[in-house]
Amino acid sequence: MTQASLWRTALANFEQAAELLAPEVSPAALDRLRQPRERIELTLSPQLTDGVPHVFRAFIVRHSDALGPAKGGIRMTGSVTLDDVTGLAMEMTWKCALIGVPFGGGKAGIVADPRRFSATDNEVLLRSFAHNATRHIGPQVYVPAPDMGTTEAGMGYIKDTLSFAAGLATTQGCFVTGKPVILGGIPGRREATGRGVAVTAAEALRERGMAVEGATVILQGFGNVGSYAASIMASMGMRVLGVADVLGAVWKADGLDVAALVAHAGRTGSVVGFDKGEAVDAAELLTRPCDVLVPAAAGNQLTVDNAPAIQAKIIAEGANGPTTPEADAILEERGILVVPDILCNAGGVFVSYLEFTQETQQEQMTEAEVRRRLTRRMTERYAAVRDLARQRGLSMRRAAMLKAVGTVCEALTARGNLP
Ligand code: NAD
């Protein structure tokens, strides 16, 4: 079950919401949302610095554009599949609806392990993707952003490739978010997902009557989401006891020095070898006692195998689809409060929306304004989901899905009978 695709996880979550919504919405709208609107497969053949053309597969999935252009990141890993990208695109539909931005759900995948390539080859690969995907990217179609294995710099190369193809200095409108500020990005986007995770985790602690100050945290994943979540949680007074990444894990019983760990991981590419902590087993780390567990890495990490052993009181899902449906049922049964991914990690897409509007309107927003709007929106949406969960006696995940799927069905109905 640990190898379950993210499509299976997304569909299982959808079916639970569909069952609750069935009495109120048209079966046709639910049927429409059960499948993606479009799945595109691309073959890239960039010439890398070794002088030899290589062949890579890539995917773009638009799950729904009922609320607006498809929005979602580009995942670049050696193991990403079309099914995973489809599941992630579906989750983006719900996330955008839940956080209240006028976007549909999309996602892209490039089957390549970025750790195997030099910075130059990474740039060539992303430019090849942008070149081959030109027809499928745009402010009315699909607007990408960074996800696992892609970065802010990569979004800059994509913008440049698309501008260059049009023979222009820039794109007309926002074609990609999460790009460098100097190229029209927005201050605060880089940390936005992690900040949203920290804000919702703090809300969950308050809901459980626990203090934010001194709350203990374990994280899996120390990339964009995990490292910013850890830093911001530490700045709120929480104590980060353990961090795992793909290569190993570190632990310190009275709290890691997060700033030093960020600097170490920045230098070495991993948390492994951090001398102000003890090396521990990455899988076992997830089951150690803590107040908040933050999965911020790959999907399907919390499974039937480890869910019964988890000792966290709250799980804040920084990653997309980190919990299998079976594990979710176990955690619910055990009374662990799960802040679901479509709420917990929606800070990134909310700030992407601010970037989109900034670029469309040729304005400039300050970092303070971005932070204020992000914190307010995450807190409001957390409260709305919590209230619905209490009212209907549902888990936070079911309440979030009910709200999100209901909103998209409303948009589909308002659009009428399209061809
Ligand atoms: P990233 O590539 O910056 O970092 C990924 C981290 O996860 C790395 O530290 C890596 O070592 C670790 N990792 C990967 N596989 C692992 C495994 N099997 N066990 C332990 N650690 C592992 O990626 P990111 O952008 O931080 O994304 C992380 C997760 O958050 C993904 O699920 C992504 O879809 C989700 N997410 C990202 C954003 C965003 O704005 N970047 C927004 C919403 C959701």
Side-chain angles (χ1 to χ4, degrees):
M1 197 48 61
T2 48
Q3 295 307 312
S5 84
L6 292 173
W7 171 234
R8 175 185 172 279
T9 302
L11 201 55
N13 289 334
F14 170 75
E15 293 302 350
Q16 289 188 345
E19 202 181 313
L20 290 168
L21 277 163
E24 300 156 34
V25 305
S26 93
L30 292 173
D31 255 352
R32 181 76 196 81
L33 293 170
R34 207 164 257 122
Q35 292 299 327
R37 187 168 178 78
E38 190 174 30
R39 303 215 286 182
I40 298 148
E41 296 193 49
L42 302 167
T43 305
L44 320 179
S45 49
Q47 184 154 328
L48 301 182
T49 43
D50 60 9
V52 183
H54 294 256
V55 174
F56 299 94
R57 296 180 73 213
F59 319 110
I60 297 176
V61 178
R62 290 196 303 138
H63 170 258
S64 166
D65 46 18
L67 283 168
K71 190 81 191 76
I74 306 171
R75 179 166 291 199
M76 178 150 67
T77 67
S79 58
V80 67
T81 64
L82 180 55
D83 265 4
D84 281 345
V85 176
T86 308
L88 290 162
M90 184 190 240
E91 294 278 346
M92 283 306 298
T93 300
W94 318 135
K95 195 182 298 181
C96 293
L98 185 68
I99 208 68
V101 293
F103 292 135
K107 202 84 183 182
I110 304 173
V111 190
D113 181 352
R115 291 171 303 172
R116 289 186 43 222
F117 302 108
S118 65
T120 309
D121 281 344
N122 259 301
E123 176 179 344
V124 173
L125 189 46
L126 278 170
R127 285 187 182 278
S128 171
F129 170 77
H131 174 74
N132 283 282
T134 303
R135 281 181 298 132
H136 308 293
I137 298 178
Q140 278 104 29
V141 193
Y142 164 58
V143 185
D147 189 70
M148 269 179 87
T150 56
T151 61
E152 184 180 300
M155 301 308 112
Y157 305 142
I158 290 176
K159 176 167 176 169
D160 184 65
T161 307
L162 297 173
S163 316
F164 184 79
L168 302 169
T170 186
T171 51
Q172 285 178 317
C174 182
F175 280 60
V176 57
T177 62
K179 54 195 175 288
V181 172
I182 194 80
L183 297 180
I186 195 163
R189 170 63 182 89
R190 199 185 296 166
E191 61 163 53
T193 307
R195 182 167 291 281
V197 171
V199 168
T200 52
E203 288 302 309
L205 283 164
R206 289 187 196 103
E207 186 181 340
R208 281 282 148 109
M210 295 159 72
V212 172
E213 182 80 35
T216 56
V217 182
I218 290 175
L219 294 109
Q220 183 199 44
F222 207 60
N224 173 276
V225 180
S227 66
Y228 280 106
S231 304
I232 295 163
M233 289 168 111
S235 75
M236 289 171 159
M238 299 186 212
R239 278 187 299 137
V240 176
L241 306 185
V243 177
D245 69 16
V246 74
L247 299 177
V250 287
W251 169 266
K252 192 155 188 281
D254 58 351
L256 291 159
D257 176 344
V258 177
L261 185 60
V262 169
H264 170 84
R267 268 194 318 273
T268 66
S270 172
V271 299
V272 172
F274 183 57
D275 60 6
K276 293 182 187 148
E278 168 196 344
V280 291
D281 180 75
E284 188 262 330
L285 178 71
L286 302 185
T287 59
R288 291 194 174 195
C290 65
D291 295 323
V292 187
L293 174 64
V294 183
N300 292 327
Q301 297 297 301
L302 307 182
T303 68
V304 281
D305 299 330
N306 58 9
I310 287 189
Q311 298 187 66
K313 299 181 181 76
I314 292 163
I315 295 176
E317 293 187 334
N320 284 312
T323 311
T324 66
E326 295 76 12
D328 201 40
I330 296 170
L331 298 171
E332 191 178 347
E333 170 73 28
R334 294 188 53 222
I336 296 172
L337 172 56
V338 179
V339 187
D341 50 2
I342 61 167
L343 173 63
C344 188
N345 71 34
V349 78
F350 178 68
V351 174
S352 277
Y353 164 68
L354 298 182
E355 181 176 334
F356 187 92
T357 55
Q358 173 185 266
E359 199 165 7
T360 308
Q361 294 165 14
Q362 309 252 299
E363 277 184 11
Q364 284 182 332
M365 255 179 247
T366 64
E367 184 159 1
E369 193 180 348
V370 169
R371 273 191 195 181
R372 187 177 46 76
R373 289 182 68 173
L374 169 66
T375 304
R376 193 176 61 201
R377 182 65 65 102
M378 296 303 294
T379 314
E380 275 171 13
R381 296 296 150 139
Y382 184 96
V385 173
R386 180 203 56 212
D387 291 350
L388 182 65
R390 282 185 186 161
Q391 209 183 336
R392 301 276 303 256
L394 300 170
S395 69
M396 287 286 279
R397 187 185 315 281
R398 285 200 201 200
M401 283 294 292
L402 188 61
K403 234 178 208 319
V405 181
T407 302
V408 181
C409 286
E410 193 185 328
L412 275 179
T413 308
R415 279 178 180 259
N417 294 313
L418 284 173

